[in-house]
Amino acid sequence: VQLQASGGGLVQTGGSLTLSCTASGTGTFFRINTVSWYRQAPGDQRELVAGISGGRTSYGTSVKGRFSIFEDSDENTVSLLQMNSLKLEDTAVYYCHANIWTPAMGSVGYWGQGTQVTVSS
């Protein structure tokens, strides 16, 4: 199983972006247990941005009210992260992580390659 985060880019403060997390190699029969989005700015530790499990969502304090996480079953899309009212401090590489069950591997956590989000003034 491979995950890929996409949708990053350059946006001005106050703008919006929607990130996508897609999965490949899952086969036809699989289950998404949990999905989380993390971010890491240069020199900082990776921090949890948002998570969703069984329809229940959680958010980091710094993004609560501005970001929304969704599960998505559209083809291979696992999750969407809608980011509104972006601030300079939201600049980071964003990663998705998913715990996915497949018949072959059972429940395993996977990290996706990150996507860069840059917020400019």
Side-chain angles (χ1 to χ4, degrees):
V1 177
Q2 291 187 326
L3 292 182
Q4 177 68 55
S6 62
L10 176 64
V11 64
Q12 290 187 324
T13 53
S16 300
L17 279 176
T18 298
L19 306 183
S20 298
C21 180
T22 56
S24 60
T26 58
T28 303
F29 187 56
F30 65 96
R31 183 181 68 242
I32 306 298
N33 293 322
T34 63
V35 183
S36 301
W37 287 89
Y38 291 78
R39 68 186 181 187
Q40 187 167 20
D44 291 346
Q45 291 186 332
R46 191 170 295 188
E47 67 168 328
L48 177 64
V49 174
I52 186 167
S53 176
R56 299 179 67 177
T57 60
S58 61
Y59 297 93
T61 303
S62 63
V63 306
K64 194 172 295 184
R66 300 188 296 121
F67 290 13
S68 298
I69 185 172
F70 301 94
E71 292 176 327
D72 196 325
S73 60
D74 180 19
E75 294 186 354
N76 294 326
T77 301
V78 171
S79 174
L80 300 174
L81 181 68
Q82 183 176 337
M83 307 185 296
N84 298 322
S85 303
L86 285 163
K87 304 176 180 180
L88 293 174
E89 52 264 41
D90 294 321
T91 295
V93 178
Y94 284 70
Y95 301 88
C96 60
H97 178 274
N99 187 285
I100 300 174
W101 179 90
T102 62
M105 300 296 294
S107 293
V108 178
Y110 300 92
W111 283 100
Q113 290 187 323
T115 184
Q116 175 71 47
V117 172
T118 302
V119 184
S120 65
S121 58

